[in-house]
Amino acid sequence: MNSTENVEAIQRALEALLRRHASRRVYAGQAAAAGATISQPAYVLLRRIEKQGPLPMGELARMTNMDPGATARQVGQLERDGYVRRSPSPDDGRVSLVSLTPRGDSVRRRLNDVMDRRMSEMLDRWSDTDRETFATLLQRFVEEMAQGEIPSAVEDSAV
């Protein structure tokens, strides 16, 4: 394969991966296997709160790249379901911190377990070297993707 064909093959593989990752049907199967009834965006919030600890709503939205309004709606539902709680910040009483409840942590752990088990089953067929190479290259790709700017398709002279 030449360089252009490699780039196109990577683009197609990423499109397939992202479609699968964003698939409601796939997530619903994972959630059912975990005995969980939360949405995929709600799961993302639970994971971030578990990793970072209690967070203000705005920071939670920023860290998950979610719209603040959508974050507030998701957190509201998670709170009604008993998965998170809001409490005043000790630094600023006007700010609410969102934290996991034991019930929220339990559902997050069950979903993690299902997803980790599936990933392990797939990667068990790979050699240790392949898994290590893939992990290294994927992490490098994600870091470069996060730093890069999207190039304009419009040439300067045409503007």
Side-chain angles (χ1 to χ4, degrees), residues 15-129:
E15 288 169 6
L17 175 66
L18 294 173
R19 270 194 314 274
R20 181 158 179 78
H21 178 72
S23 168
R24 288 184 176 146
R25 183 182 60 78
V26 170
Y27 176 78
Q30 294 168 332
T37 57
I38 66 169
S39 69
Q40 191 170 21
Y43 169 68
V44 169
L45 294 172
L46 292 181
R47 277 194 348 210
R48 178 55 61 182
I49 296 165
E50 189 275 330
K51 183 176 181 180
Q52 300 297 138
L55 291 167
M57 189 79 71
E59 187 70 7
L60 183 56
R62 186 188 65 72
M63 292 179 100
T64 56
N65 295 313
M66 291 176 72
D67 174 79
T71 302
R73 286 188 296 278
Q74 289 290 333
V75 167
Q77 185 60 53
L78 288 168
E79 190 173 31
R80 286 187 293 279
D81 291 340
Y83 297 137
V84 300
R85 71 176 147 267
R86 294 184 226 199
S87 56
S89 168
D91 299 328
D92 183 349
R94 298 170 296 172
V95 174
S96 289
L97 298 178
V98 182
S99 60
L100 283 180
T101 64
R103 183 175 181 196
D105 193 46
S106 173
V107 76
R108 181 205 54 79
R109 273 189 281 108
R110 290 195 316 267
L111 275 160
N112 279 356
D113 289 348
V114 166
M115 293 174 189
D116 288 352
R117 205 168 35 251
R118 174 68 179 127
M119 183 69 67
S120 291
E121 288 170 1
M122 290 185 306
L123 294 176
D124 278 348
R125 296 187 288 266
W126 293 30
S127 70
D128 289 342
T129 301

